[in-house]
Amino acid sequence: MPELPEIETTRRAVEPLVAGRTIESVDVRHPGVIAHPDATTFAERLTGRTVLGINRRGKYLVACLDDGSHVTMHMRMTGCLVAAPTGYPEDRHTHVVLHMDDGTEMRFSDMRRFGRFWLFGPDEEDDSGIGRLGPEPDDPSLDAGYLEERIGGSHRAIKECLLDQTVVAGIGNIYSDEILFETGIDPARPANSLTHEEFGRLAHAIPELLGYFTETNLVTPDEHLAGKGRDYRNTPFLRVYGHAGKPCPRCGETMVRSVVGGRGSVRCPRCQR
């Protein structure tokens, strides 16, 4: 499932190829992907519009258009966005194609069809959920005081709190495990059991690790297209996620898998007591 580093990688790969381009036509092959408005209106309103750029907010991408409207996109579990020249082989699960005036196609594919597109005019409220997101990981307001005030009274496991997009935007199952390993905190610990110092460690590790994994994941637009938007480069740098049964990179203890809040979690039983 793509998280902030993967979504930022997609943005950096796709935006240079579509920014400044005018949408000549829109092909919606699976109308259920369009959450707002209906698929026909979506295609009609986008045709003739120029893409000014693509921004990211948490795990969302937002394409800004020349008339003040915008397209909000969420990849969900298996969605992928690529920019390809006309005639380049398509993924068989391609559901939306925006045809640009220079022959570039912005394509959205999704094997499970959970991803969604919303189109909002300049005077429409964006009800995609993006407005409920917490601060970005690199927001200066995300400090120990913020975390302690926001979740310090919660009985939920700290991992559940990190996965809550209204607390911090962009963290998913992969990077929550990495952050908690870095800080030496057990994923299952109730948030209200953390000390101020531990909240400080989290506030430091969240932007540091997400920034690090974003940079290790950088690919060129051509590499992104060749990998169908799914060839992430940071997997070799993950220290705990997916490493259950392997020795801890710090102490050598065998790492264990458990379920926290319905999500699989990996931790070191010695480093994360």
Side-chain angles (χ1 to χ4, degrees):
M1 181 185 297
E3 301 179 24
L4 187 153
E6 291 77 33
I7 297 300
E8 178 62 18
T9 295
T10 294
R11 189 196 70 78
R12 295 184 187 186
V14 173
E15 185 191 40
L17 301 181
V18 300
R21 307 265 47 107
T22 297
I23 302 168
E24 290 194 331
S25 63
V26 179
D27 185 8
V28 179
R29 299 170 187 172
H30 185 71
V33 169
I34 310 302
H36 177 83
D38 62 87
T40 300
T41 305
F42 177 87
E44 290 175 349
R45 286 173 54 183
L46 275 184
T47 301
R49 298 272 58 90
T50 298
V51 178
L52 301 181
I54 299 179
N55 301 322
R56 181 196 53 75
R57 179 76 171 93
K59 301 178 189 178
Y60 291 82
L61 291 173
V62 181
C64 302
L65 307 174
D66 62 336
D67 65 344
S69 60
H70 66 274
V71 179
T72 301
M73 301 168 275
H74 200 302
M75 305 297 107
R76 299 281 170 82
M77 293 182 68
T78 56
C80 299
L81 191 74
V82 300
T86 299
Y88 191 90
E90 283 190 8
D91 185 284
R92 68 190 185 95
H93 299 290
T94 299
H95 305 310
V96 180
V97 181
L98 275 59
H99 302 271
M100 306 296 175
D101 58 356
D102 67 341
T104 300
E105 298 176 354
M106 190 167 82
R107 303 173 181 173
F108 173 71
S109 62
D110 189 355
M111 180 176 63
R112 302 184 73 172
R113 296 181 182 174
F114 290 161
R116 290 293 181 268
F117 279 48
W118 297 260
L119 171 61
F120 298 104
D123 299 321
E124 289 184 274
E125 181 182 355
D126 188 329
D127 64 358
S128 64
I130 197 170
R132 296 190 293 274
L133 295 178
E136 290 288 310
D138 60 355
D139 190 314
S141 71
L142 203 166
D143 57 14
Y146 166 79
L147 290 174
E148 196 162 14
E149 179 180 354
R150 183 70 176 78
I151 60 176
S154 176
H155 295 278
R156 291 186 297 168
I158 184 59
K159 174 161 181 170
E160 290 184 77
C161 293
L162 292 181
L163 294 176
D164 184 342
Q165 299 301 295
T166 69
V167 175
V168 183
I171 301 174
N173 203 39
I174 297 171
Y175 301 111
S176 58
D177 275 2
E178 297 295 317
I179 290 165
L180 291 167
F181 175 75
E182 175 68 19
T183 55
I185 299 171
D186 187 317
R189 273 185 64 187
N192 63 2
S193 73
L194 270 64
T195 66
H196 181 76
E197 188 272 335
E198 287 173 319
F199 280 119
R201 296 209 305 260
L202 282 173
H204 177 77
I206 288 170
E208 182 178 72
L209 287 184
L210 287 175
Y212 170 74
F213 282 112
T214 297
E215 294 308 310
T216 61
N217 200 35
L218 288 181
V219 295
T220 67
D222 286 344
E223 289 170 334
H224 186 259
L225 177 59
K228 300 181 179 180
R230 295 189 289 265
D231 187 15
Y232 305 129
R233 303 296 176 86
N234 52 19
T235 303
F237 301 95
L238 298 173
R239 294 182 293 173
V240 288
Y241 180 82
H243 289 250
K246 297 180 181 179
C248 170
R250 278 192 184 140
C251 71
E253 182 76 17
T254 300
M255 292 190 289
V256 297
R257 182 185 185 276
S258 59
V259 177
V260 178
R263 308 295 296 275
S265 300
V266 180
R267 67 179 177 89
C268 171
R270 181 180 295 168
C271 296
Q272 297 168 270
R273 297 187 180 219

